[in-house]
Amino acid sequence: LELFQYHLSQWPVDREELRAFEVFVRRAQTKEWDETVIENVPTGEVDRVEETIQETYSVEEVVPGGWFRKESRVMVQRTRPKVVVRDVPRMAKVEKRVRRRETAAESMHLLNGLGESKGRWDAKIGGLLADPIVRGVWIEPGTFFMGSPDSEEGRSSDESRHQVTLTKGLFLSEAPCTQSQWEAVMGSNPSNFKGADRPVEQVTWDEAVEFCRKLTKMHQDAGAMPQGWAWRLPTEAEWEYAARAGTTGPRHGELEAIAWHSGNSGSETHPVKQKAANAWGLYDMIGNVWEWCSDWYGDYPTGAVTDPTGSNSGSSRVSRGGSWRSVARYCRSAYRFRFEPGYRFHYLGFRPVLSSVR
């Protein structure tokens, strides 16, 4: 709250903005109370307890012979009851007073003219769902080299390395959109591999854009969306910047540790967040499902650029990250794939972004 008040003193804002930003204050409430609990404790004494068990033993038996064989001796297992005596510690119920402490935290963020703060944002729909629909990870603005060097194994000719600067921070979903998230917004489930925590797939580019539009409206109607912000698909540059998380190699970790791919997926998707996250807390950036980006596919620029959004037109939209059926070459931070916007298949999904649209 002190941070909120400080920012109010630094930036002029109107009352509409104030109402929009009130829900983005960080609050934490701690409660303490005494509670009586009952525990079983040893008294220092023991009881003698008899218990009957079945003991297994072996005996030798004679198998009679016949016209064409001699008698023989064999070992046969038998069981018999046996009484054992053991010492059991005597227990007593004791009432004990303990001090309980619980902290309920609500993480929100000051945005737009009031400044930007790091952390996570739980995008909650007031009264509609008890749990967040989409959890976003704050991605700081910055500069990186997009594409791959000539020496990178599996490199394609359309990955020309160039410098990119992103001037605005954003919240990127910590995992691909799941089937439960899709159903909460769209009311249906088009996926081939069913599972609430699996990525939604068989989603066209237009349908992914519609999901973002509907989610934005739901948050606006619930009063949980600051003015000038909206959900959308990430640009290709934003996706690669977030996938790299400061790394410069083919991917942010060892393939087996971070991704479901053709060599370990069993030919299906898997629930999100089972593989290791990258340094920025993002899961499944590599593998599981390809992820739609907002850009039309086209050639990279030849020099440094700021906030690129791809080609102005085209016939295919960019997708990134590889999928459960992809070989290692496709599961790289720099690899570019493309599909026509109306294409749908069981290895194609998306991950939404929350950002300022001003």
Side-chain angles (χ1 to χ4, degrees), residues 283-298:
Y283 296 85
D284 298 280
M285 292 296 289
I286 302 295
N288 222 353
V289 290
W290 289 98
E291 298 179 10
W292 285 115
C293 293
S294 60
D295 309 46
W296 289 109
Y297 175 83

Side-chain angles (χ1 to χ4, degrees), residues 80-302:
R80 63 188 171 201
K82 180 180 179 180
V83 177
V84 295
V85 179
R86 56 190 177 91
D87 293 337
V88 177
R90 189 174 297 170
M91 307 294 288
K93 292 186 181 297
V94 176
E95 287 191 358
K96 183 179 179 180
R97 296 285 286 178
V98 296
R99 187 72 169 170
R100 301 291 195 196
R101 180 184 178 90
E102 180 182 88
T103 300
E106 183 181 9
S107 296
M108 299 297 185
H109 301 268
L110 302 171
L111 304 172
N112 284 359
L114 300 183
E116 296 173 334
S117 66
K118 299 178 182 178
R120 296 178 183 273
W121 182 61
D122 288 347
K124 297 183 178 178
I125 304 299
L128 183 63
L129 290 175
D131 295 326
I133 288 185
V134 177
R135 170 166 289 179
V137 176
W138 177 247
I139 307 298
E140 294 276 4
T143 298
F144 76 110
F145 279 96
M146 189 173 182
S148 62
D150 294 341
S151 59
E152 185 165 301
E153 185 177 356
R155 182 181 187 273
S156 295
S157 59
D158 62 351
E159 298 173 15
S160 303
R161 203 158 184 255
H162 60 291
Q163 182 175 291
V164 173
T165 298
L166 301 176
T167 61
K168 296 180 180 180
L170 53 88
F171 288 98
L172 181 63
S173 175
E174 66 178 354
C177 180
T178 64
Q179 293 172 36
S180 62
Q181 291 168 343
W182 180 271
E183 289 181 2
V185 176
M186 305 296 281
S188 61
N189 185 358
S191 303
N192 178 67
F193 302 111
K194 292 294 194 289
D197 294 329
R198 294 191 189 210
V200 68
E201 14 92 1
Q202 299 204 125
V203 174
T204 68
W205 186 89
D206 295 308
E207 289 168 343
V209 170
E210 179 65 7
F211 172 94
C212 295
R213 186 194 69 79
K214 285 191 173 182
L215 184 59
T216 297
K217 187 175 188 306
M218 291 170 73
H219 285 171
Q220 289 173 341
D221 292 346
M225 178 69 72
Q227 289 184 351
W229 283 65
W231 290 99
R232 59 175 174 82
L233 294 179
T235 66
E236 187 178 12
E238 290 169 344
W239 188 98
E240 185 171 329
Y241 176 64
R244 291 188 176 280
T247 63
T248 57
R251 55 191 69 87
H252 63 264
E254 294 296 325
L255 184 59
E256 288 296 311
I258 66 173
W260 295 110
H261 59 93
S262 62
N264 66 5
S265 68
S267 299
E268 62 179 342
T269 62
H270 289 261
V272 300
K273 298 167 60 175
Q274 290 190 343
K275 294 292 187 175
N278 69 12
W280 292 353
L282 299 167
Y283 296 85
D284 298 280
M285 292 296 289
I286 302 295
N288 222 353
V289 290
W290 289 98
E291 298 179 10
W292 285 115
C293 293
S294 60
D295 309 46
W296 289 109
Y297 175 83
D299 293 336
Y300 276 160
T302 56

Side-chain angles (χ1 to χ4, degrees), residues 48 61 69 73 102 107 186 189 228 264 274 316 344 346 356:
R48 305 283 290 180
E61 288 188 351
R69 58 187 173 90
R73 297 178 179 273
E102 180 182 88
S107 296
M186 305 296 281
N189 185 358
N264 66 5
Q274 290 190 343
S316 300
R344 67 173 79 244
H346 54 358
S356 170

